[in-house]
Protein backbone atom coordinates (compact mmCIF):
# COMPACT_ATOMS: atom_id res chain seq x y z
CA UNK A 1 0.00 0.00 0.00
CA UNK A 2 1.43 3.38 -0.96
CA UNK A 3 0.68 6.31 1.36
CA UNK A 4 1.36 9.49 -0.60
CA UNK A 5 0.28 11.96 2.07
CA UNK A 6 1.43 12.53 5.67
CA UNK A 7 -0.06 10.17 8.20
CA UNK A 8 -2.55 12.03 10.40
CA UNK A 9 -4.98 10.94 13.09
CA UNK A 10 -8.63 10.43 12.29
CA UNK A 11 -10.00 12.99 14.75
CA UNK A 12 -12.44 15.29 12.99
CA UNK A 13 -11.75 19.01 13.03
CA UNK A 14 -13.04 21.97 11.05
CA UNK A 15 -10.70 23.76 8.66
CA UNK A 16 -9.19 27.19 9.51
CA UNK A 17 -11.12 28.55 6.52
CA UNK A 18 -14.46 27.56 8.07
CA UNK A 19 -13.51 28.77 11.55
CA UNK A 20 -12.34 32.13 10.19
CA UNK A 21 -15.70 33.01 8.65
CA UNK A 22 -17.69 31.54 11.53
CA UNK A 23 -15.96 34.02 13.82
CA UNK A 24 -17.48 36.81 11.75
CA UNK A 25 -14.34 37.83 9.87
CA UNK A 26 -14.78 39.29 6.39
CA UNK A 27 -11.29 40.43 5.40
CA UNK A 28 -9.40 38.40 2.86
CA UNK A 29 -6.70 36.19 4.30
CA UNK A 30 -4.35 33.50 3.07
CA UNK A 31 -5.13 29.94 4.12
CA UNK A 32 -2.92 26.87 4.00
CA UNK A 33 -5.56 24.36 5.11
CA UNK A 34 -9.02 24.02 3.62
CA UNK A 35 -11.05 21.25 1.95
CA UNK A 36 -9.02 19.68 -0.89
CA UNK A 37 -5.86 21.68 -0.01
CA UNK A 38 -3.77 18.50 0.32
CA UNK A 39 -4.01 17.96 -3.43
CA UNK A 40 -1.22 20.54 -3.66
CA UNK A 41 1.20 17.96 -2.23
CA UNK A 42 0.94 16.01 -5.47
CA UNK A 43 2.41 18.76 -7.64
CA UNK A 44 4.53 20.87 -5.27
CA UNK A 45 8.32 20.89 -5.63
CA UNK A 46 10.82 19.78 -3.00
CA UNK A 47 11.16 23.22 -1.39
CA UNK A 48 7.42 23.43 -0.79
CA UNK A 49 7.11 19.88 0.53
CA UNK A 50 9.97 19.85 3.04
CA UNK A 51 8.42 22.29 5.56
CA UNK A 52 5.19 20.28 5.53
CA UNK A 53 6.73 17.48 7.59
CA UNK A 54 6.77 14.89 4.83
CA UNK A 55 9.16 12.06 5.59
CA UNK A 56 11.25 12.13 2.42
CA UNK A 57 14.55 10.26 2.41
CA UNK A 58 16.04 9.73 -1.04
CA UNK A 59 18.80 7.50 0.38
CA UNK A 60 16.22 4.73 0.72
CA UNK A 61 15.86 4.56 -3.05
CA UNK A 62 17.68 1.60 -4.58
CA UNK A 63 20.21 2.53 -7.26
CA UNK A 64 19.63 6.17 -6.37
CA UNK A 65 22.47 7.33 -8.64
CA UNK A 66 20.38 6.26 -11.61
CA UNK A 67 17.69 8.81 -10.75
CA UNK A 68 19.45 11.44 -8.63
CA UNK A 69 19.19 14.17 -11.27
CA UNK A 70 15.42 14.19 -10.84
CA UNK A 71 15.73 14.73 -7.09
CA UNK A 72 18.64 17.15 -7.16
CA UNK A 73 16.59 19.32 -9.47
CA UNK A 74 13.78 19.34 -6.89
CA UNK A 75 11.18 20.04 -9.57
CA UNK A 76 7.40 19.87 -9.60
CA UNK A 77 5.65 16.51 -9.02
CA UNK A 78 8.44 15.65 -6.61
CA UNK A 79 6.20 13.62 -4.29
CA UNK A 80 4.98 11.51 -7.20
CA UNK A 81 8.54 10.88 -8.40
CA UNK A 82 9.71 10.00 -4.90
CA UNK A 83 6.97 7.46 -4.23
CA UNK A 84 7.42 6.02 -7.69
CA UNK A 85 11.06 5.11 -7.09
CA UNK A 86 10.86 4.28 -3.38
CA UNK A 87 8.27 1.57 -4.13
CA UNK A 88 9.71 0.09 -7.30
CA UNK A 89 11.56 -3.19 -6.73
CA UNK A 90 13.78 -5.11 -9.14
CA UNK A 91 13.37 -2.47 -11.79
CA UNK A 92 15.25 -1.33 -14.83
CA UNK A 93 15.44 2.25 -16.03
CA UNK A 94 12.76 1.58 -18.63
CA UNK A 95 10.12 1.53 -15.88
CA UNK A 96 10.45 5.30 -15.64
CA UNK A 97 9.18 5.52 -19.21
CA UNK A 98 6.66 2.71 -19.16
CA UNK A 99 5.00 3.78 -15.91
CA UNK A 100 5.13 0.31 -14.34
CA UNK A 101 6.19 -0.55 -10.80
CA UNK A 102 6.53 -3.52 -8.48
CA UNK A 103 4.88 -3.11 -5.09
CA UNK A 104 4.15 -5.43 -2.20
CA UNK A 105 0.57 -6.62 -2.08
CA UNK A 106 -1.39 -7.42 1.07
CA UNK A 107 0.03 -10.93 1.00
CA UNK A 108 3.60 -9.59 0.93
CA UNK A 109 4.18 -10.78 -2.61
CA UNK A 110 5.60 -8.43 -5.24
CA UNK A 111 3.19 -7.60 -8.00
CA UNK A 112 3.43 -5.44 -11.11
CA UNK A 113 0.96 -2.56 -11.38
CA UNK A 114 0.61 0.62 -13.36
CA UNK A 115 1.94 3.57 -11.40
CA UNK A 116 -1.30 5.33 -12.24
CA UNK A 117 -3.31 2.90 -10.09
CA UNK A 118 -1.95 3.71 -6.59
CA UNK A 119 -1.72 7.40 -7.48
CA UNK A 120 -5.34 7.57 -8.56
CA UNK A 121 -6.47 5.58 -5.52
CA UNK A 122 -4.67 8.06 -3.25
CA UNK A 123 -6.36 10.95 -5.05
CA UNK A 124 -9.82 9.42 -4.70
CA UNK A 125 -9.23 8.69 -1.02
CA UNK A 126 -8.24 12.30 -0.34
CA UNK A 127 -11.15 13.58 -2.42
CA UNK A 128 -13.63 11.54 -0.34
CA UNK A 129 -12.17 12.83 2.95
CA UNK A 130 -12.30 16.43 1.72
CA UNK A 131 -15.86 16.10 0.45
CA UNK A 132 -16.94 14.90 3.90
CA UNK A 133 -15.25 17.90 5.52
CA UNK A 134 -16.82 20.27 2.98
CA UNK A 135 -20.27 18.78 3.50
CA UNK A 136 -20.17 19.33 7.26
CA UNK A 137 -18.74 22.82 7.00
CA UNK A 138 -21.21 23.86 4.31
CA UNK A 139 -24.24 22.63 6.28
CA UNK A 140 -23.13 24.36 9.48
CA UNK A 141 -21.82 27.56 7.93
CA UNK A 142 -23.60 30.80 8.82
CA UNK A 143 -21.64 32.62 6.11
CA UNK A 144 -22.07 30.33 3.14
CA UNK A 145 -21.47 33.02 0.51
CA UNK A 146 -18.10 34.10 1.93
CA UNK A 147 -17.05 30.53 2.70
CA UNK A 148 -17.92 29.03 -0.69
CA UNK A 149 -16.47 31.88 -2.73
CA UNK A 150 -13.21 31.99 -0.79
CA UNK A 151 -12.86 28.22 -1.11
CA UNK A 152 -13.59 28.45 -4.85
CA UNK A 153 -10.91 31.13 -5.30
CA UNK A 154 -8.37 29.05 -3.38
CA UNK A 155 -9.07 25.96 -5.49
CA UNK A 156 -8.99 27.92 -8.74
CA UNK A 157 -5.59 29.28 -7.72
CA UNK A 158 -4.37 25.75 -6.94
CA UNK A 159 -5.72 24.50 -10.25
CA UNK A 160 -3.93 27.25 -12.17
CA UNK A 161 -0.69 26.47 -10.33
CA UNK A 162 -1.10 22.81 -11.25
CA UNK A 163 -1.76 23.71 -14.87
CA UNK A 164 1.38 25.87 -14.93
CA UNK A 165 3.42 23.07 -13.37
CA UNK A 166 2.23 20.57 -15.99
CA UNK A 167 3.12 22.98 -18.79
CA UNK A 168 6.59 23.79 -17.38
CA UNK A 169 7.69 20.22 -16.73
CA UNK A 170 9.37 18.05 -19.33
CA UNK A 171 9.70 14.79 -17.38
CA UNK A 172 7.39 11.82 -17.33
CA UNK A 173 5.85 12.76 -13.96
CA UNK A 174 4.12 15.86 -15.29
CA UNK A 175 1.96 13.49 -17.34
CA UNK A 176 0.67 11.97 -14.11
CA UNK A 177 -0.35 15.49 -13.11
CA UNK A 178 -3.20 15.13 -15.61
CA UNK A 179 -4.80 12.68 -13.15
CA UNK A 180 -4.67 15.36 -10.44
CA UNK A 181 -6.13 17.86 -12.89
CA UNK A 182 -9.10 15.60 -13.62
CA UNK A 183 -9.90 15.39 -9.91
CA UNK A 184 -9.96 19.18 -9.68
CA UNK A 185 -12.34 19.34 -12.64
CA UNK A 186 -14.65 16.84 -10.92
CA UNK A 187 -14.66 19.10 -7.87
CA UNK A 188 -15.47 22.14 -10.01
CA UNK A 189 -18.34 20.32 -11.71
CA UNK A 190 -19.77 19.57 -8.28
CA UNK A 191 -19.38 23.22 -7.20
CA UNK A 192 -21.00 24.43 -10.42
CA UNK A 193 -23.98 22.13 -9.89
CA UNK A 194 -24.51 22.40 -6.13
CA UNK A 195 -23.30 25.83 -5.03
CA UNK A 196 -24.52 27.96 -7.91
CA UNK A 197 -26.77 30.05 -5.63
CA UNK A 198 -23.78 31.16 -3.56
CA UNK A 199 -21.20 31.70 -6.30
CA UNK A 200 -20.17 35.24 -7.18
CA UNK A 201 -20.44 36.23 -10.83
CA UNK A 202 -16.66 35.99 -11.31
CA UNK A 203 -16.42 32.54 -9.72
CA UNK A 204 -19.46 31.31 -11.62
CA UNK A 205 -17.95 32.42 -14.94
CA UNK A 206 -14.55 30.95 -14.08
CA UNK A 207 -16.05 27.57 -13.20
CA UNK A 208 -18.32 27.61 -16.25
CA UNK A 209 -15.30 28.17 -18.49
CA UNK A 210 -13.57 25.14 -16.98
CA UNK A 211 -16.61 22.87 -16.82
CA UNK A 212 -17.94 23.87 -20.26
CA UNK A 213 -14.92 25.14 -22.22
CA UNK A 214 -15.63 27.04 -25.40
CA UNK A 215 -14.51 25.33 -28.59
CA UNK A 216 -13.72 28.77 -29.97
CA UNK A 217 -11.32 29.69 -27.16
CA UNK A 218 -8.22 31.47 -28.47
CA UNK A 219 -5.12 29.63 -27.29
CA UNK A 220 -2.40 31.22 -29.43
CA UNK A 221 -2.19 33.84 -32.16
CA UNK A 222 -3.70 33.25 -35.59
CA UNK A 223 -2.58 35.03 -38.75
CA UNK A 224 -5.25 37.29 -40.18
CA UNK A 225 -6.39 36.74 -43.74
CA UNK A 226 -5.18 39.47 -46.11
CA UNK A 227 -6.16 40.70 -49.60
CA UNK A 228 -2.91 39.38 -51.08
CA UNK A 229 -3.73 35.86 -49.90
CA UNK A 230 -5.58 35.01 -53.09
CA UNK A 231 -6.57 31.56 -51.87
CA UNK A 232 -5.98 31.97 -48.16
CA UNK A 233 -2.66 31.17 -46.58
CA UNK A 234 -1.84 27.82 -48.17
CA UNK A 235 0.54 25.37 -46.52
CA UNK A 236 3.34 26.28 -48.91
CA UNK A 237 2.85 30.01 -48.38
CA UNK A 238 2.63 29.52 -44.63
CA UNK A 239 6.07 27.89 -44.58
CA UNK A 240 7.52 30.92 -46.35
CA UNK A 241 5.80 33.29 -43.91
CA UNK A 242 6.81 31.44 -40.72
CA UNK A 243 10.41 31.01 -41.88
CA UNK A 244 10.63 34.71 -42.73
CA UNK A 245 9.21 35.75 -39.34
CA UNK A 246 11.56 33.39 -37.51
CA UNK A 247 14.63 34.58 -39.44
CA UNK A 248 13.68 38.23 -38.91
CA UNK A 249 13.31 37.79 -35.16
CA UNK A 250 16.60 35.86 -35.02
CA UNK A 251 18.61 38.31 -37.10
CA UNK A 252 17.45 41.26 -35.02
CA UNK A 253 18.29 39.54 -31.75
CA UNK A 254 14.76 39.27 -30.40
CA UNK A 255 14.78 35.50 -29.83
CA UNK A 256 17.35 32.81 -29.06
CA UNK A 257 19.24 31.25 -31.96
CA UNK A 258 17.99 27.89 -30.64
CA UNK A 259 14.45 28.79 -31.77
CA UNK A 260 13.02 26.35 -34.30
CA UNK A 261 10.53 26.76 -37.13
CA UNK A 262 8.09 24.56 -35.20
CA UNK A 263 8.13 26.87 -32.16
CA UNK A 264 7.27 29.95 -34.25
CA UNK A 265 4.67 28.00 -36.21
CA UNK A 266 3.14 26.94 -32.88
CA UNK A 267 2.84 30.59 -31.83
CA UNK A 268 0.59 31.40 -34.82
CA UNK A 269 -1.46 28.21 -35.01
CA UNK A 270 -4.41 29.05 -32.73
CA UNK A 271 -3.89 26.02 -30.50
CA UNK A 272 -2.29 25.12 -27.18
CA UNK A 273 1.47 25.26 -27.07
CA UNK A 274 3.06 21.96 -28.04
CA UNK A 275 6.73 23.02 -28.11
CA UNK A 276 9.21 24.51 -25.66
CA UNK A 277 8.76 28.19 -24.91
CA UNK A 278 10.59 30.68 -27.12
CA UNK A 279 13.44 32.46 -25.30
CA UNK A 280 12.96 36.25 -25.54
CA UNK A 281 16.29 38.13 -25.47
CA UNK A 282 15.10 41.73 -25.38
CA UNK A 283 13.32 43.74 -22.66
CA UNK A 284 9.84 42.87 -21.33
CA UNK A 285 8.62 46.20 -22.75
CA UNK A 286 9.64 45.06 -26.23
CA UNK A 287 7.82 41.78 -25.74
CA UNK A 288 4.72 43.82 -24.94
CA UNK A 289 5.43 45.90 -28.06
CA UNK A 290 5.46 42.68 -30.08
CA UNK A 291 1.73 42.36 -29.43
CA UNK A 292 1.18 46.03 -30.31
CA UNK A 293 2.85 45.45 -33.68
CA UNK A 294 0.81 42.30 -34.29
CA UNK A 295 -2.40 44.10 -33.42
CA UNK A 296 -1.77 47.52 -35.00
CA UNK A 297 -0.56 46.03 -38.27
CA UNK A 298 -3.54 43.62 -38.46
CA UNK A 299 -1.19 40.65 -38.50
CA UNK A 300 -3.34 38.53 -36.18
CA UNK A 301 -7.04 37.96 -35.63
CA UNK A 302 -8.74 39.07 -32.41
CA UNK A 303 -7.48 37.29 -29.30
CA UNK A 304 -10.59 38.04 -27.24
CA UNK A 305 -8.37 39.80 -24.71
CA UNK A 306 -6.12 36.76 -24.10
CA UNK A 307 -2.98 38.25 -25.70
CA UNK A 308 -1.02 38.73 -22.45
CA UNK A 309 -1.74 35.14 -21.44
CA UNK A 310 -0.62 33.94 -24.87
CA UNK A 311 2.66 35.85 -24.62
CA UNK A 312 3.32 34.48 -21.13
CA UNK A 313 2.51 30.97 -22.29
CA UNK A 314 4.69 30.98 -25.40
CA UNK A 315 7.69 33.03 -24.26
CA UNK A 316 10.25 32.86 -21.49
CA UNK A 317 12.98 35.36 -20.63
CA UNK A 318 16.67 34.52 -20.44
CA UNK A 319 17.84 32.43 -17.47
CA UNK A 320 14.43 30.70 -17.43
CA UNK A 321 12.67 33.74 -15.94
CA UNK A 322 8.93 33.32 -16.44
CA UNK A 323 6.86 35.92 -18.30
CA UNK A 324 4.18 37.13 -15.90
CA UNK A 325 1.06 38.14 -17.84
CA UNK A 326 -0.14 40.61 -15.17
CA UNK A 327 3.23 42.37 -14.96
CA UNK A 328 3.48 42.43 -18.75
CA UNK A 329 0.05 44.06 -19.00
CA UNK A 330 1.10 46.84 -16.60
CA UNK A 331 4.31 47.71 -18.48
CA UNK A 332 4.63 50.61 -20.88
CA UNK A 333 5.35 49.88 -24.53
CA UNK A 334 8.96 50.22 -25.59
CA UNK A 335 10.14 53.71 -26.56
CA UNK A 336 13.07 52.34 -28.58
CA UNK A 337 11.86 53.27 -32.06
CA UNK A 338 14.67 51.40 -33.78
CA UNK A 339 13.73 48.12 -32.11
CA UNK A 340 10.02 48.66 -32.74
CA UNK A 341 10.73 49.34 -36.44
CA UNK A 342 12.81 46.15 -36.60
CA UNK A 343 9.89 44.27 -35.06
CA UNK A 344 7.57 45.61 -37.75
CA UNK A 345 10.04 44.60 -40.46
CA UNK A 346 10.00 41.01 -39.20
CA UNK A 347 6.43 40.77 -40.52
CA UNK A 348 6.83 42.59 -43.89
CA UNK A 349 6.61 39.23 -45.63
CA UNK A 350 2.87 39.22 -44.96
CA UNK A 351 2.42 42.19 -47.29
CA UNK A 352 4.43 40.53 -50.03
CA UNK A 353 3.68 36.84 -50.14
CA UNK A 354 0.85 35.58 -52.34
CA UNK A 355 -0.65 32.18 -51.71
CA UNK A 356 1.03 29.61 -53.89
CA UNK A 357 -1.14 27.27 -55.93
Amino acid sequence: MIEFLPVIDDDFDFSPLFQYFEEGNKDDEAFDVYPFSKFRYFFWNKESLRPKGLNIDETKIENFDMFKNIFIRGDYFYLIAYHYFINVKEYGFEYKVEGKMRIEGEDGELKMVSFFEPLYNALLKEKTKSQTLLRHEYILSKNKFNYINKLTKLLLSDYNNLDDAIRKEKNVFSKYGIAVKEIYLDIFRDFYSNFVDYLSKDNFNALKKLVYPSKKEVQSFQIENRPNFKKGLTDEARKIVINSIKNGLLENGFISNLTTYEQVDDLFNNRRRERDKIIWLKTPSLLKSLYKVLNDKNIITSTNNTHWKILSDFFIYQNNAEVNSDKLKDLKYSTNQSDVLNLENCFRILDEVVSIK
Side-chain angles (χ1 to χ4, degrees):
M1 182 65 183
I2 300 175
E3 294 290 348
F4 280 86
L5 300 177
V7 177
I8 59 174
D9 58 48
D10 293 326
D11 288 344
F12 180 85
D13 196 11
F14 294 112
S15 72
L17 173 70
F18 172 79
Q19 295 176 31
Y20 179 81
F21 287 116
E22 287 308 289
E23 292 169 0
N25 297 306
K26 294 183 179 180
D27 295 334
D28 238 8
E29 187 171 299
F31 294 91
D32 285 329
V33 179
Y34 43 88
F36 308 105
S37 62
K38 287 185 180 178
F39 282 124
R40 293 176 296 173
Y41 290 161
F42 289 96
F43 58 91
W44 266 347
N45 57 21
K46 182 193 295 187
E47 287 69 27
S48 299
L49 287 168
R50 293 276 193 209
K52 297 300 177 182
L54 295 181
N55 185 20
I56 298 177
D57 183 2
E58 295 96 334
T59 62
K60 294 180 180 179
I61 296 175
E62 298 176 18
N63 300 326
F64 176 73
D65 286 348
M66 189 181 294
F67 312 108
K68 65 181 180 181
N69 287 338
I70 292 173
F71 299 103
I72 290 172
R73 199 167 65 222
D75 52 7
Y76 294 103
F77 305 98
Y78 186 86
L79 186 67
I80 295 177
Y82 175 78
H83 279 292
Y84 180 90
F85 288 120
I86 202 70
N87 285 282
V88 171
K89 307 292 183 183
E90 301 174 3
Y91 55 79
F93 185 76
E94 66 272 16
Y95 286 114
K96 173 180 178 292
V97 177
E98 294 176 5
K100 296 186 296 185
M101 64 192 305
R102 292 184 187 275
I103 63 173
E104 290 186 7
E106 294 180 358
D107 57 2
E109 294 291 323
L110 289 178
K111 64 177 183 177
M112 183 73 77
V113 299
S114 162
F115 179 70
F116 184 85
E117 181 182 341
L119 169 63
Y120 197 66
N121 288 340
L123 289 168
L124 292 179
K125 182 178 178 181
E126 185 58 34
K127 178 186 175 186
T128 299
K129 288 169 55 180
S130 294
Q131 283 176 322
T132 300
L133 176 60
L134 171 60
R135 186 182 305 117
H136 287 296
E137 293 188 342
Y138 173 73
I139 291 172
L140 294 174
S141 176
K142 301 182 184 72
N143 300 282
K144 289 182 171 58
F145 181 85
N146 290 335
Y147 171 79
I148 288 297
N149 280 288
K150 181 62 176 179
L151 177 57
T152 302
K153 284 184 177 180
L154 290 167
L155 294 180
L156 285 170
S157 177
D158 290 344
Y159 177 83
N160 289 331
N161 290 338
L162 167 64
D163 200 40
D164 285 344
I166 292 172
R167 305 294 298 282
K168 290 174 184 175
E169 283 296 284
K170 299 178 183 178
N171 65 39
V172 67
F173 300 107
S174 64
K175 298 176 183 177
Y176 291 121
I178 300 298
V180 188
K181 192 173 180 179
E182 281 301 316
I183 295 294
Y184 272 106
L185 290 175
D186 281 344
I187 295 167
F188 292 146
R189 292 184 189 102
D190 180 63
F191 275 38
Y192 186 81
S193 299
N194 296 321
F195 302 138
V196 64
D197 291 339
Y198 294 99
L199 289 173
S200 67
K201 183 178 180 180
D202 287 346
N203 280 336
F204 175 82
N205 290 334
L207 290 182
K208 183 178 180 181
K209 187 175 180 180
L210 289 173
V211 174
Y212 299 108
S214 170
K215 294 181 179 179
K216 296 181 179 179
E217 182 180 358
V218 176
Q219 302 185 77
S220 72
F221 296 127
Q222 185 173 20
I223 294 175
E224 179 70 88
N225 203 12
R226 306 167 80 85
N228 53 306
F229 297 167
K230 300 293 178 68
K231 296 185 178 181
L233 193 59
T234 62
D235 291 343
E236 199 168 351
R238 181 180 177 83
K239 289 179 182 178
I240 295 173
V241 167
I242 297 300
N243 266 318
S244 178
I245 294 172
K246 177 180 79 77
N247 292 335
L249 293 171
L250 283 171
E251 290 167 4
N252 287 281
F254 290 110
I255 59 177
S256 164
N257 59 12
L258 300 176
T259 307
T260 65
Y261 169 91
E262 287 76 16
Q263 285 174 287
V264 179
D265 183 58
D266 218 20
L267 177 62
F268 295 100
N269 234 346
N270 193 27
R271 65 186 181 201
R272 284 183 69 101
R273 179 170 56 82
E274 298 179 355
R275 310 285 176 174
D276 290 341
K277 291 189 175 185
I278 299 169
I279 300 174
W280 183 257
L281 302 179
K282 297 282 190 177
T283 64
S285 291
L286 264 172
L287 181 58
K288 180 170 184 174
S289 294
L290 170 62
Y291 168 70
K292 182 173 173 59
V293 169
L294 295 175
N295 185 60
D296 290 354
K297 300 297 181 180
N298 296 318
I299 293 166
I300 56 172
T301 59
S302 171
T303 63
N304 293 331
N305 207 32
T306 61
H307 41 278
W308 307 128
K309 182 180 183 300
I310 292 172
L311 289 174
S312 68
D313 191 32
F314 279 81
F315 286 93
I316 191 168
Y317 298 127
Q318 297 183 70
N319 303 320
N320 285 325
E322 293 292 327
V323 177
N324 184 296
S325 58
D326 290 331
K327 291 181 179 179
L328 193 66
K329 179 174 59 177
D330 293 337
L331 287 175
K332 292 183 178 180
Y333 292 110
S334 174
T335 56
N336 188 320
Q337 294 303 312
S338 176
D339 276 335
V340 173
L341 182 60
N342 286 336
L343 266 178
E344 293 177 358
N345 288 334
C346 292
F347 299 92
R348 294 292 185 197
I349 184 68
L350 287 163
D351 294 322
E352 303 167 3
V353 71
V354 176
S355 290
I356 302 170
K357 294 181 180 180

